[in-house]
Amino acid sequence: MNVGIVGLGLIGGSMAKSVKARTAHTVYGADLDQETMALARMSGAIDGPLTEESLPRCDLLLVAICPGAAVKWVRDHAGQIAKSAIVVDLCGVKRVVVEALAPLAEAHGFAYIGGHPMAGRERGGFTASSEDLYVGASMILTPDKRTDMQLLETLKAFFLDIGFAGLTFSDPEEHDRIIAFTSQLAHITSSAYVKSPEAQRRRGFSAGSFQDMTRVARLDEDMWTELFLDDADYLVKELDILIENLTAYSQALKSGDAERVRALLREGRELKATAGGN
């Protein structure tokens, strides 16, 4: 199978490396950064560039760039995509992308499905990518009425081959609602947490808790701003809930109410036990 990958940063680069390490598929890659393209070729992550000549030969296209750029790329190249091809975007939000690309795919005759690999690292770029990033991870797909079982079987085999533990099916609305809590809220909280003046004076006083809370504050502000704004309705709801819950802790501490503090902590512990580890 010929696999085209648009964007060779952490997500796309790891896809390319995983495909080359675990399958016999041919990989064509595209990235705006020429140094990244050179590194991808030299490392063996791609077999060649994704060009006007190689694009029509691709059986599977993985679009691993920001939502607005992903929509623009597919729109600009829709006429060159083979009608037998499957296009999967790997963006962190789904509603805005699916709404744009689903009708585009239908008009041009190729298959399209939204996707979101549930894996990442605090550092981005091709140099941070890895062939084992997706080992044991979940791959979210958003099938619709046009998605047939053969397409899903093809994608299931592909994603399991490159290390994913399994597929999770969702619709764009559900995806964006849940991801606002499980991913976006965590990034905003981490970013806000490190803004305390104590963050600069904590050397010698920090351990695992600090590292866990601050890991994802090292983010790409351009990409995450776009993701946050595309999912602002659900993200704001989660932020308001978090602020309300934090306020309860603050009020209990200000009033010296030990029983209330203990109750709030107990609620959190019990809810964590119910929610599980993932």
Side-chain angles (χ1 to χ4, degrees):
M1 186 162 67
N2 292 325
V3 180
I5 301 178
V6 183
L8 296 173
L10 173 65
I11 298 302
S14 296
M15 283 285 176
K17 290 178 179 179
S18 299
V19 173
K20 292 307 298 178
R22 292 176 167 80
T23 77
H25 302 318
T26 299
V27 176
Y28 299 104
D31 196 280
L32 293 177
D33 185 76
Q34 291 308 304
E35 182 178 352
T36 293
M37 288 295 294
L39 286 172
R41 283 296 296 270
M42 287 188 295
S43 67
I46 63 174
D47 296 289
L50 184 64
T51 63
E52 291 186 2
E53 290 73 34
S54 58
L55 175 56
R57 299 200 298 270
C58 289
D59 306 292
L60 174 64
L61 279 167
L62 304 174
V63 186
I65 49 182
C66 292
V71 171
K72 184 179 186 304
W73 190 92
V74 176
R75 182 180 292 127
D76 290 347
H77 296 85
Q80 299 166 272
I81 298 172
K83 294 187 184 301
S84 58
I86 303 170
V87 176
V88 182
D89 83 89
L90 304 179
C91 299
V93 291
K94 293 272 70 78
R95 285 176 296 174
V96 66
V97 182
V98 172
E99 286 170 9
L101 295 190
L104 194 64
E106 188 167 11
H108 285 82
F110 56 83
Y112 162 72
I113 189 168
H116 186 185
M118 296 310 298
R121 288 182 175 148
E122 59 269 28
R123 295 187 184 276
F126 183 79
T127 55
S129 64
S130 169
E131 68 180 50
D132 61 2
L133 180 66
Y134 302 118
V135 173
S138 172
M139 180 67 195
I140 300 175
L141 294 176
T142 59
D144 60 23
K145 63 181 185 297
R146 295 181 62 239
T147 308
D148 61 42
M149 286 304 300
Q150 183 56 52
L151 181 151
L152 291 178
E153 287 298 325
T154 298
L155 292 178
K156 179 180 179 181
F158 173 79
F159 287 120
L160 292 183
D161 281 350
I162 64 173
F164 285 92
L167 302 182
T168 298
F169 298 111
S170 180
D171 61 62
E173 193 80 25
E174 179 188 50
H175 170 277
D176 287 2
R177 187 187 75 248
I178 297 174
I179 217 71
F181 172 70
T182 60
S183 175
Q184 295 169 358
L185 183 65
H187 283 78
I188 282 187
T189 304
S190 183
S191 179
Y193 177 72
V194 298
K195 292 177 182 177
S196 168
E198 293 301 329
Q200 305 306 317
R201 299 191 286 266
R202 51 86 192 174
R203 296 192 182 280
F205 291 84
S206 60
S209 297
F210 181 83
Q211 298 301 323
D212 289 344
M213 278 291 295
T214 60
R215 182 178 64 82
V216 294
R218 188 187 288 114
L219 46 69
D220 177 341
E221 62 269 21
D222 293 330
M223 179 185 76
W224 282 99
T225 295
E226 184 174 351
L227 293 174
F228 290 160
L229 290 175
D230 283 340
D231 207 17
D233 51 350
Y234 286 127
L235 181 54
V236 167
K237 288 180 181 178
E238 292 299 335
L239 269 173
D240 288 345
I241 292 170
L242 176 61
I243 291 167
E244 181 180 346
N245 287 331
L246 288 173
T247 300
Y249 286 92
S250 178
Q251 290 173 342
L253 290 167
K254 287 175 182 176
S255 63
D257 188 342
E259 284 305 312
R260 180 60 177 150
V261 172
R262 189 175 294 110
L264 289 168
L265 294 173
R266 185 185 307 114
E267 288 171 7
R269 173 173 56 78
E270 290 173 351
L271 286 168
K272 170 58 179 173
T274 302
N278 295 317

